[in-house]
Amino acid sequence: RHTGKLLSSNVPCLTGRQVMDDLAHRLNRSVALDNDCCCFALSEAHTQQARQFSRIFGAIIGTGMGGGLVIDGQLYRGRNRMASEFGHLPLPATFMRRYNLPEITCGCGLQGCLERYQSGPGLLWLHKHFSGEQLKMETLLEKYRHGNASAVATVEAWIDMLGCTLAQLQLILDVDAFVLGGGVSNIEEIYTLLPGAMSRYLFPGLAPANVFPAVHGASSGVRGAALLLVEQDALMH
Ligand SMILES: [Zn+2]
Protein backbone atom coordinates (compact mmCIF):
# COMPACT_ATOMS: atom_id res chain seq x y z
CA ARG A 1 0.00 0.00 0.00
CA HIS A 2 2.80 2.43 0.85
CA THR A 3 5.22 1.47 -1.92
CA GLY A 4 2.59 1.24 -4.68
CA LYS A 5 4.20 -2.00 -5.85
CA LEU A 6 1.78 -4.43 -7.45
CA LEU A 7 1.23 -8.10 -6.76
CA SER A 8 -0.41 -9.94 -9.64
CA SER A 9 -1.19 -13.64 -9.92
CA ASN A 10 -2.28 -13.67 -13.57
CA VAL A 11 -0.02 -10.97 -15.02
CA PRO A 12 3.30 -11.88 -13.38
CA CYS A 13 5.31 -9.17 -15.20
CA LEU A 14 3.42 -6.53 -13.16
CA THR A 15 4.52 -7.95 -9.82
CA GLY A 16 6.89 -5.57 -8.05
CA ARG A 17 6.22 -2.74 -10.52
CA GLN A 18 4.90 0.70 -9.56
CA VAL A 19 2.48 0.94 -12.46
CA MET A 20 0.45 3.86 -11.13
CA ASP A 21 3.56 6.01 -10.64
CA ASP A 22 4.95 4.93 -14.02
CA LEU A 23 1.72 5.89 -15.77
CA ALA A 24 1.42 9.17 -13.91
CA HIS A 25 5.00 10.00 -14.88
CA ARG A 26 4.50 9.11 -18.55
CA LEU A 27 1.17 10.94 -18.81
CA ASN A 28 2.27 13.84 -16.66
CA ARG A 29 -0.94 13.80 -14.65
CA SER A 30 -2.40 11.99 -11.67
CA VAL A 31 -3.79 8.52 -12.37
CA ALA A 32 -6.30 6.38 -10.49
CA LEU A 33 -5.57 2.67 -10.59
CA ASP A 34 -7.28 -0.40 -9.19
CA ASN A 35 -7.71 -4.01 -10.17
CA ASP A 36 -10.45 -5.02 -12.61
CA CYS A 37 -12.57 -6.73 -9.96
CA CYS A 38 -12.64 -3.66 -7.71
CA CYS A 39 -13.48 -1.44 -10.69
CA PHE A 40 -16.22 -3.88 -11.67
CA ALA A 41 -17.69 -3.91 -8.15
CA LEU A 42 -17.63 -0.14 -7.92
CA SER A 43 -19.44 0.13 -11.24
CA GLU A 44 -22.11 -2.42 -10.34
CA ALA A 45 -22.70 -0.77 -6.97
CA HIS A 46 -23.60 2.41 -8.87
CA THR A 47 -26.55 1.28 -10.94
CA GLN A 48 -30.31 1.62 -10.68
CA GLN A 49 -30.50 -2.07 -9.71
CA ALA A 50 -28.03 -1.61 -6.83
CA ARG A 51 -29.70 1.47 -5.35
CA GLN A 52 -31.83 -0.61 -2.99
CA PHE A 53 -28.72 -2.25 -1.49
CA SER A 54 -25.98 -0.83 0.71
CA ARG A 55 -23.56 -3.81 0.62
CA ILE A 56 -22.65 -5.24 -2.77
CA PHE A 57 -20.05 -7.87 -3.55
CA GLY A 58 -19.00 -7.81 -7.20
CA ALA A 59 -17.40 -11.05 -8.33
CA ILE A 60 -15.74 -11.58 -11.68
CA ILE A 61 -15.77 -15.24 -12.63
CA GLY A 62 -14.05 -15.47 -15.97
CA THR A 63 -10.53 -16.62 -16.77
CA GLY A 64 -9.81 -15.97 -13.09
CA MET A 65 -11.89 -15.22 -10.03
CA GLY A 66 -11.76 -12.08 -7.94
CA GLY A 67 -14.04 -9.63 -6.23
CA GLY A 68 -14.66 -6.25 -4.75
CA LEU A 69 -16.73 -5.23 -1.75
CA VAL A 70 -18.61 -1.94 -1.86
CA ILE A 71 -20.26 -0.60 1.28
CA ASP A 72 -22.49 2.46 0.96
CA GLY A 73 -20.93 3.33 -2.38
CA GLN A 74 -17.31 3.06 -1.21
CA LEU A 75 -14.90 0.27 -2.11
CA TYR A 76 -13.50 -1.55 0.89
CA ARG A 77 -9.89 -2.23 -0.04
CA GLY A 78 -8.21 -3.34 3.19
CA ARG A 79 -4.71 -2.76 4.52
CA ASN A 80 -2.79 -3.96 1.46
CA ARG A 81 -5.58 -3.43 -1.06
CA MET A 82 -5.95 -7.19 -1.05
CA ALA A 83 -9.50 -7.42 0.32
CA SER A 84 -11.94 -9.70 -1.56
CA GLU A 85 -9.30 -11.87 -3.27
CA PHE A 86 -11.55 -14.84 -2.63
CA GLY A 87 -10.39 -16.76 -5.73
CA HIS A 88 -7.23 -17.72 -3.88
CA LEU A 89 -8.81 -19.33 -0.86
CA PRO A 90 -8.22 -23.08 -0.88
CA LEU A 91 -10.95 -25.40 -2.12
CA PRO A 92 -12.45 -27.06 1.00
CA ALA A 93 -11.23 -30.62 1.63
CA THR A 94 -14.89 -31.71 1.55
CA PHE A 95 -14.92 -31.10 -2.20
CA MET A 96 -11.50 -32.64 -2.77
CA ARG A 97 -12.96 -35.84 -1.29
CA ARG A 98 -16.49 -35.60 -2.70
CA TYR A 99 -15.32 -35.09 -6.27
CA ASN A 100 -11.93 -36.77 -6.00
CA LEU A 101 -9.99 -33.65 -7.02
CA PRO A 102 -6.24 -33.09 -6.89
CA GLU A 103 -4.63 -29.92 -5.48
CA ILE A 104 -3.69 -27.83 -8.49
CA THR A 105 -0.88 -25.26 -8.35
CA CYS A 106 -2.15 -21.73 -8.96
CA GLY A 107 -0.45 -18.81 -10.72
CA CYS A 108 -0.41 -16.97 -7.39
CA GLY A 109 2.00 -19.52 -5.91
CA LEU A 110 -0.54 -21.24 -3.65
CA GLN A 111 -2.08 -24.69 -4.01
CA GLY A 112 -5.68 -25.71 -4.64
CA CYS A 113 -7.07 -22.17 -5.11
CA LEU A 114 -10.82 -21.91 -5.76
CA GLU A 115 -10.25 -20.22 -9.12
CA ARG A 116 -8.51 -23.31 -10.50
CA TYR A 117 -11.81 -25.24 -10.16
CA GLN A 118 -14.55 -22.58 -10.33
CA SER A 119 -13.49 -20.07 -13.02
CA GLY A 120 -14.45 -20.58 -16.69
CA PRO A 121 -11.29 -22.59 -17.44
CA GLY A 122 -11.88 -24.31 -14.07
CA LEU A 123 -15.27 -25.57 -15.24
CA LEU A 124 -13.73 -26.98 -18.43
CA TRP A 125 -10.90 -28.51 -16.40
CA LEU A 126 -13.44 -30.19 -14.12
CA HIS A 127 -15.21 -31.70 -17.12
CA LYS A 128 -11.91 -33.02 -18.50
CA HIS A 129 -11.06 -34.41 -15.07
CA PHE A 130 -14.42 -36.19 -14.70
CA SER A 131 -15.02 -37.39 -18.25
CA GLY A 132 -11.72 -37.16 -20.13
CA GLU A 133 -13.41 -34.83 -22.66
CA GLN A 134 -11.69 -31.56 -23.53
CA LEU A 135 -14.59 -29.31 -24.56
CA LYS A 136 -15.11 -25.67 -25.40
CA MET A 137 -17.50 -23.79 -23.13
CA GLU A 138 -20.21 -23.58 -25.81
CA THR A 139 -20.11 -27.33 -26.42
CA LEU A 140 -20.20 -28.19 -22.73
CA LEU A 141 -23.22 -25.92 -22.21
CA GLU A 142 -24.97 -27.30 -25.28
CA LYS A 143 -24.52 -30.83 -23.95
CA TYR A 144 -25.70 -29.75 -20.52
CA ARG A 145 -28.84 -28.17 -22.00
CA HIS A 146 -29.57 -31.37 -23.89
CA GLY A 147 -29.34 -33.38 -20.68
CA ASN A 148 -26.06 -35.17 -21.50
CA ALA A 149 -25.29 -37.10 -18.29
CA SER A 150 -21.57 -36.28 -18.00
CA ALA A 151 -22.11 -32.58 -18.80
CA VAL A 152 -24.92 -32.42 -16.21
CA ALA A 153 -22.68 -34.10 -13.61
CA THR A 154 -19.89 -31.58 -14.25
CA VAL A 155 -22.15 -28.53 -14.07
CA GLU A 156 -23.86 -29.82 -10.91
CA ALA A 157 -20.52 -30.39 -9.16
CA TRP A 158 -19.32 -26.96 -10.27
CA ILE A 159 -22.50 -25.20 -9.08
CA ASP A 160 -22.25 -27.07 -5.77
CA MET A 161 -18.73 -25.70 -5.21
CA LEU A 162 -19.50 -22.20 -6.47
CA GLY A 163 -22.61 -22.06 -4.28
CA CYS A 164 -20.46 -22.95 -1.28
CA THR A 165 -18.02 -20.16 -2.14
CA LEU A 166 -20.79 -17.54 -2.29
CA ALA A 167 -22.36 -18.92 0.91
CA GLN A 168 -19.01 -18.60 2.71
CA LEU A 169 -18.63 -15.01 1.49
CA GLN A 170 -22.17 -14.36 2.71
CA LEU A 171 -21.35 -15.80 6.15
CA ILE A 172 -18.29 -13.56 6.42
CA LEU A 173 -19.63 -10.36 4.84
CA ASP A 174 -23.44 -10.69 5.06
CA VAL A 175 -23.86 -8.62 1.90
CA ASP A 176 -27.21 -7.69 0.33
CA ALA A 177 -26.28 -8.93 -3.12
CA PHE A 178 -23.67 -10.59 -5.28
CA VAL A 179 -23.28 -9.19 -8.77
CA LEU A 180 -21.51 -11.53 -11.16
CA GLY A 181 -19.34 -10.58 -14.11
CA GLY A 182 -16.90 -12.35 -16.42
CA GLY A 183 -17.64 -15.05 -18.99
CA VAL A 184 -19.32 -17.38 -16.52
CA SER A 185 -21.89 -14.72 -15.60
CA ASN A 186 -23.40 -15.16 -19.09
CA ILE A 187 -24.54 -18.70 -18.28
CA GLU A 188 -28.23 -17.98 -17.60
CA GLU A 189 -28.91 -21.13 -15.60
CA ILE A 190 -26.56 -20.19 -12.76
CA TYR A 191 -29.02 -17.57 -11.43
CA THR A 192 -31.66 -20.20 -10.80
CA LEU A 193 -29.21 -22.87 -9.59
CA LEU A 194 -26.98 -20.85 -7.24
CA PRO A 195 -29.53 -19.92 -4.52
CA GLY A 196 -30.28 -23.61 -3.86
CA ALA A 197 -26.58 -24.49 -3.87
CA MET A 198 -25.81 -21.60 -1.49
CA SER A 199 -28.58 -22.71 0.90
CA ARG A 200 -26.84 -26.05 1.44
CA TYR A 201 -23.93 -24.18 3.05
CA LEU A 202 -25.87 -21.55 5.03
CA PHE A 203 -27.50 -21.95 8.41
CA PRO A 204 -30.96 -23.47 8.00
CA GLY A 205 -33.48 -20.63 7.73
CA LEU A 206 -30.94 -18.08 6.46
CA ALA A 207 -31.97 -16.94 2.98
CA PRO A 208 -29.23 -16.81 0.37
CA ALA A 209 -28.26 -13.29 -0.69
CA ASN A 210 -29.48 -12.07 -4.09
CA VAL A 211 -27.32 -13.07 -7.06
CA PHE A 212 -27.59 -10.92 -10.18
CA PRO A 213 -25.78 -10.68 -13.50
CA ALA A 214 -23.84 -7.45 -14.11
CA VAL A 215 -25.93 -4.58 -15.48
CA HIS A 216 -23.04 -3.25 -17.55
CA GLY A 217 -21.61 -6.59 -18.67
CA ALA A 218 -18.11 -6.61 -20.09
CA SER A 219 -17.94 -2.79 -20.02
CA SER A 220 -18.38 -2.62 -16.26
CA GLY A 221 -14.68 -2.72 -15.39
CA VAL A 222 -13.96 0.28 -17.59
CA ARG A 223 -17.00 2.11 -16.22
CA GLY A 224 -15.72 1.40 -12.69
CA ALA A 225 -12.26 2.69 -13.57
CA ALA A 226 -13.89 5.99 -14.58
CA LEU A 227 -15.80 5.98 -11.30
CA LEU A 228 -12.51 5.73 -9.35
CA LEU A 229 -12.08 9.44 -10.00
CA VAL A 230 -15.61 10.20 -8.78
CA GLU A 231 -14.86 8.13 -5.68
CA GLN A 232 -11.59 10.01 -5.10
CA ASP A 233 -13.37 13.35 -5.44
CA ALA A 234 -16.08 12.26 -3.00
CA LEU A 235 -13.41 11.31 -0.43
CA MET A 236 -11.64 14.64 -0.81
CA HIS A 237 -14.74 16.81 -0.36
ZN1 LIG B 1 -4.15 -18.77 -6.29
Side-chain angles (χ1 to χ4, degrees):
R1 181 182 188 175
H2 299 296
T3 62
K5 288 182 181 171
L6 298 195
L7 235 176
S8 173
S9 64
N10 292 327
V11 192
C13 62
L14 294 182
T15 296
R17 303 292 298 267
Q18 292 162 303
V19 176
M20 190 163 81
D21 292 348
D22 291 350
L23 281 172
H25 183 72
R26 283 290 179 97
L27 298 170
N28 199 25
R29 54 167 297 167
S30 64
V31 170
L33 186 86
D34 222 310
N35 78 48
D36 57 340
C37 299
C38 287
C39 293
F40 168 79
L42 189 62
S43 167
E44 291 300 322
H46 290 84
T47 64
Q48 199 68 28
Q49 167 182 273
R51 273 209 176 149
Q52 52 182 317
F53 304 124
S54 74
R55 290 159 294 260
I56 298 272
F57 192 91
I60 297 189
I61 308 174
T63 46
M65 228 164 89
L69 173 64
V70 183
I71 303 171
D72 297 328
Q74 298 286 323
L75 261 172
Y76 174 80
R77 294 183 170 85
R79 178 166 171 257
N80 288 306
R81 301 178 78 117
M82 280 287 158
S84 309
E85 286 287 1
F86 73 103
H88 301 277
L89 297 170
L91 186 74
T94 313
F95 295 123
M96 297 278 186
R97 280 195 302 270
R98 185 177 303 163
Y99 299 117
N100 193 21
L101 301 172
E103 264 189 16
I104 311 174
T105 303
C106 182
C108 73
L110 297 172
Q111 296 280 325
C113 294
L114 295 180
E115 90 168 21
R116 295 296 114 197
Y117 311 87
Q118 295 174 16
S119 61
L123 172 58
L124 299 179
W125 179 88
L126 276 179
H127 189 70
K128 173 104 198 286
H129 179 72
F130 293 145
S131 71
E133 277 184 319
Q134 177 84 62
L135 298 183
K136 288 189 171 158
M137 187 65 87
E138 292 176 3
T139 318
L140 174 64
L141 293 176
E142 211 175 278
K143 286 186 151 198
Y144 169 74
R145 286 166 187 153
H146 284 95
N148 173 275
S150 73
V152 169
T154 299
V155 171
E156 282 179 354
W158 174 70
I159 285 285
D160 183 28
M161 293 189 271
L162 193 56
C164 178
T165 299
L166 295 187
Q168 290 184 326
L169 287 169
Q170 183 177 344
L171 288 175
I172 296 167
L173 304 170
D174 201 7
V175 290
D176 298 301
F178 293 97
V179 182
L180 306 187
V184 160
S185 69
N186 298 322
I187 306 174
E188 288 168 25
E189 289 89 342
I190 63 175
Y191 302 97
T192 43
L193 296 171
L194 278 172
M198 289 165 74
S199 291
R200 293 202 283 275
Y201 303 98
L202 293 169
F203 299 127
L206 179 59
N210 300 284
V211 183
F212 298 117
V215 171
H216 293 283
S219 310
S220 221
V222 174
R223 183 173 177 269
L227 283 169
L228 288 174
L229 291 168
V230 179
E231 190 202 25
Q232 253 175 21
D233 277 356
L235 288 175
M236 281 161 71
H237 297 111

